[in-house]
């Protein structure tokens, strides 16, 4: 039997993320109850890291719950979906009204909303919490995105804000909003991460194809970029990965199979955007690019049917080309972040969450995977104008994109001519052009819809909805 009511917070599920989060809590002075379905993991955590703080180990879930001060706060760190439901079902009979279940896994926000609604009726709080930063972030300070009730945040806030990453003395944690808001924001964070990584990969591919450069040389280019407006965690580690050599003597990136995997959060982001009617073209293309990379059989068949031309692409002006790619990458990244924040705003309105967009940018400045220099500028843009129609029109972002457009167009055109796939660069540029167009061909689409399905249309010169009687001789227009 474990000690009674001595821990301020508990963690059940001690795989790497749960283990490191428990250690982070202990290192920051919190007494942490720890539990795992396999007791060996609990014992090994205490044996290996017991000197880092106060752990209260428990071999049964009942003892684990009994070790927690009231109101109890239980962090669940297990696989999303069915396993999370199973752990919650075991916990609920052991808890009392006012206790808090904190799901720190990558749950779908709709599951969190379902759980929160069901358990609220029993007097329990469910706090869906996005945690970004990977294994190191969980241990040394992640970005934390908790949803749930304001009451639950009064207990969790001081704990989470202390263990989160800190930037300029500000914790990378804040209450996002009710029920599924935290997991929704984490989902969009991961979608932006997909786009960011795809854009970086396309930039690398273009530099390698156009310059004929080796990965180590391109690593130096990324290091230089990381000293400017592109400064970010992902740019930094790109340089590290490209500079890394394999034991075979080849560049590490050349021995890795070119099939990018995914855990589903990118797909969720795209599916949610479709439901909300928000175009997140960069995130969608990045998600589809990962899917395409895994279709090895199709790719092999296409290579046989459409062999590459024998000529090798080489740019004439190295310095100009590198700068063009840099500017195109920056402009495309701005589009990805703009689309992500559009989706967060749409989700906030749809589900009545009242999410602070500037505050979201603030907590992404440290700890998380997409932390980047220009997140400070995003925060400022939304603080200055909370109803900003799109991040692209905020002064600094508008100037940066405007300056980058000629480079952006050259890069996309050169990629198309050379047969180098650049779907995220291309779709981001197309989105930009569509957003600023005086008139879109959507008018023709609506006309076609009316022709085959009597779906009606609106006119530019008067109010109302109309339908043309396409099957009649005179094709009269009538009000719908």
């Amino acid at each position: 039997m474990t000690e009674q009511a001595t821990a301020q917070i508990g963690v059940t599920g001690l795989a790497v993320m749960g283990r490191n989060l428990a250690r982070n809590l202990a290192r920051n002075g919190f007494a942490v109850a720890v539990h795992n379905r396999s007791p060996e993991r609990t014992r090994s955590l205490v044996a290996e890291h017991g000197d880092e703080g106060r752990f209260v180990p428990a071999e049964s879930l009942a003892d684990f719950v009994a070790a927690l001060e009231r109101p109890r706060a239980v962090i669940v760190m297990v696989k999303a979906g069915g396993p999370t439901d199973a752990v919650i079902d075991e916990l609920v009979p052991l808890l009392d009204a006012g206790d808090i279940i904190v799901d720190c896994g990558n749950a779908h926000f709709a599951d969190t909303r379902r759980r929160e609604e069901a358990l609220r009726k029993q007097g329990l709080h469910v706090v869906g919490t996005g945690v970004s930063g990977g294994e190191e972030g969980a241990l040394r300070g992640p970005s934390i995105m908790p949803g749930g009730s304001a009451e639950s945040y009064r207990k969790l806030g001081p704990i989470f804000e202390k263990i989160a990453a800190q930037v300029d003395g500000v914790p990378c944690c804040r209450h996002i909003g009710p029920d599924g808001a935290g997991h929704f924001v984490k989902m969009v964070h991961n979608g932006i991460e997909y786009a960011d990584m795809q854009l970086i990969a396309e930039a690398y591919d273009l530099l390698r194809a156009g310059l004929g450069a080796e990965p180590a040389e391109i690593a130096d280019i990324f290091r230089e970029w990381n000293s400017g407006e592109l400064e970010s965690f992902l740019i930094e580690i790109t340089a590290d990965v490209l500079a890394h050599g394999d034991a075979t003597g080849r560049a590490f990136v050349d021995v890795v199979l070119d099939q990018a995997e995914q855990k589903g959060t990118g797909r969720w982001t795209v599916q949610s955007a479709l439901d909300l009617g928000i175009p997140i073209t960069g995130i969608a293309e990045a998600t589809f690019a990962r899917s395409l990379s895994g279709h090895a059989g199709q790719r092999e068949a296409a290579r046989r049917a459409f062999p590459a031309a024998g000529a090798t692409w080489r740019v004439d002006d190295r310095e100009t080309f590198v700068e063009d790619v840099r500017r195109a990458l920056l402009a495309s990244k701005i589009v990805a972040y703009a689309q992500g924040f559009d989706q967060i705003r749409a989700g906030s309105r749809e589900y009545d969450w009242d999410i602070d967009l500037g505050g979201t940018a603030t907590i992404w400045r440290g700890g998380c995977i997409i932390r980047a220099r220009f997140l400070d500028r995003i925060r400022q843009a939304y603080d200055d104008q909370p109803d900003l129609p799109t991040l692209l029109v905020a002064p600094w972002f508008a100037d940066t994109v405007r300056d980058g457009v000629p480079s952006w167009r050259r890069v996309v055109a050169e990629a198309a001519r050379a047969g180098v796939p650049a779907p995220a660069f291309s779709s981001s540029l197309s989105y930009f052009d569509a957003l600023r167009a005086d008139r879109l061909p959507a008018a023709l689409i609506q006309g076609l819809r009316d022709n085959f399905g009597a779906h009606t249309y609106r006119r530019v010169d008067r109010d109302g909805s109309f339908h043309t009687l396409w099957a009649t001789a005179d094709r009269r227009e009538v009000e719908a």
Side-chain angles (χ1 to χ4, degrees), residues 378-394:
I378 295 177
R379 175 193 57 79
Q380 191 63 56
Y382 283 112
D383 285 352
D384 290 346
Q385 190 178 346
D387 59 348
L388 192 67
T390 168
L391 185 64
L392 287 169
V393 302

Side-chain angles (χ1 to χ4, degrees), residues 109 173 432:
F109 75 94
C173 172
F432 167 76

Side-chain angles (χ1 to χ4, degrees), residues 39-238:
E40 293 77 13
R41 281 192 174 174
T42 308
R43 297 186 200 113
S44 70
L45 169 62
V46 176
E48 294 170 25
H49 304 290
D51 59 348
E52 293 182 341
R54 184 151 182 241
F55 295 102
V56 182
E59 296 202 357
S60 74
L61 207 57
D63 287 350
F64 170 72
V65 170
L68 296 167
E69 298 175 353
R70 299 184 187 218
R72 304 179 183 97
V74 178
I75 294 175
V76 177
M77 290 294 288
V78 300
K79 188 176 180 181
T84 297
D85 281 326
V87 171
I88 290 175
D89 287 345
E90 288 185 63
L91 278 170
V92 167
L94 303 173
L95 300 176
D96 298 311
D99 289 346
I100 306 165
I101 297 173
V102 189
D103 178 5
C104 286
N106 263 336
H108 193 287
F109 75 94
D111 286 342
T112 304
R113 299 190 77 216
R114 167 180 57 80
R115 293 167 184 144
E116 194 276 338
E117 181 181 16
L119 294 184
R120 187 187 339 128
K121 296 172 183 175
Q122 300 182 45
L124 298 174
H125 300 274
V126 172
V127 178
T129 302
V131 178
S132 179
E135 299 172 13
E136 280 299 298
L139 180 62
R140 305 187 187 282
S143 173
I144 307 178
M145 297 153 257
S149 66
E151 180 184 347
S152 63
Y153 194 74
R154 281 193 285 275
K155 176 176 176 71
L156 295 172
I159 299 173
F160 282 169
E161 289 175 16
K162 189 168 184 181
I163 69 166
Q166 310 285 319
V167 177
D168 300 329
V170 177
C172 294
C173 172
R174 65 181 293 138
H175 184 222
I176 301 296
D179 56 76
H183 275 146
F184 184 90
V185 165
K186 175 56 164 56
M187 175 191 74
V188 176
H189 164 285
N190 284 20
I192 295 172
E193 178 186 311
Y194 272 51
D196 210 342
M197 293 172 71
Q198 177 65 26
L199 289 165
I200 287 171
E202 289 179 17
Y204 152 74
D205 202 26
L206 287 162
L207 290 170
R208 190 160 192 187
L211 301 177
E214 290 300 311
E217 182 182 351
I218 300 171
D220 291 335
I221 294 171
F222 275 92
R223 285 196 189 95
E224 184 178 347
W225 287 354
N226 201 47
S227 64
E229 292 296 348
L230 280 171
E231 180 189 349
S232 68
F233 171 70
L234 284 171
I235 294 288
E236 176 187 343
I237 65 171
T238 297

Side-chain angles (χ1 to χ4, degrees), residues 295-320:
H295 287 259
Q298 286 185 330
R299 291 174 59 196
E300 176 59 32
R303 280 195 297 272
R304 289 196 302 267
F306 312 108
T312 303
W313 174 40
R314 289 291 180 270
V315 301
D316 296 326
D317 185 335
R318 182 186 189 281
E319 186 175 338
T320 297

Side-chain angles (χ1 to χ4, degrees), residues 341-380:
F341 276 89
D342 287 348
Q343 184 172 359
I344 292 172
R345 176 168 23 218
S348 180
R349 289 172 176 168
E350 175 71 16
Y351 303 111
D352 197 24
W353 285 331
D354 194 26
I355 296 175
D356 182 337
L357 297 182
T360 300
T362 299
I363 65 173
W364 285 351
R365 295 182 305 158
C368 72
I369 303 302
I370 66 169
R371 59 187 184 265
R373 175 187 289 193
F374 69 26
L375 279 161
D376 264 326
R377 297 188 186 275
I378 295 177
R379 175 193 57 79
Q380 191 63 56

